[in-house]
């Protein structure tokens, strides 16, 4: 995920489940449309103010259940 977003480059995450991903094993949670929140470009050692709102993020998070071999893709 090391891209120069200042140039307009984008990066994506492809998460491929090797084992079952479900509530029983902890699950994978994402916040839909969170990539649209204001913040600096992605990079290392940067601070995103909205990360301080853990309870709000948890309230809007959805669990993604995946079977082995299934994938989830999201925009950083």
């Amino acid at each position: 995920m090391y891209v120069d977003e200042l140039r307009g480059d984008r990066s994506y995450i492809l998460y491929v489940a090797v084992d079952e991903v479900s509530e029983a094993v902890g699950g994978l949670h994402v916040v839909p449309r969170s990539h649209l929140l204001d913040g600096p470009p992605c990079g290392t050692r940067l601070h995103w103010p909205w990360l301080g709102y853990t309870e709000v993020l948890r309230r809007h998070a959805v669990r993604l259940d995946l079977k082995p071999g299934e994938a989830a893709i999201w925009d950083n």
Side-chain angles (χ1 to χ4, degrees):
M1 296 190 313
Y2 294 94
V3 300
D4 186 355
E5 290 189 346
L6 295 174
R7 293 185 337 178
D9 295 342
R10 296 177 77 170
S11 62
Y12 300 88
I13 292 177
L14 173 66
Y15 180 97
V16 180
V18 176
D19 295 313
E20 176 187 349
V21 179
S22 66
E23 184 175 19
V25 293
L28 170 67
H29 292 78
V30 298
V31 178
R33 304 182 66 77
S34 62
H35 66 288
L36 300 175
L37 293 169
D38 289 335
C42 285
T44 58
R45 297 188 182 111
L46 294 177
H47 172 72
W48 293 277
W50 47 264
L51 285 177
Y53 298 95
T54 307
E55 287 307 314
V56 174
L57 293 171
R58 283 192 183 124
R59 197 166 46 239
H60 292 282
V62 295
R63 189 181 74 245
L64 296 179
D65 291 337
L66 300 171
K67 296 176 184 165
E70 290 185 326
I73 302 170
W74 58 88
D75 183 336
N76 284 320

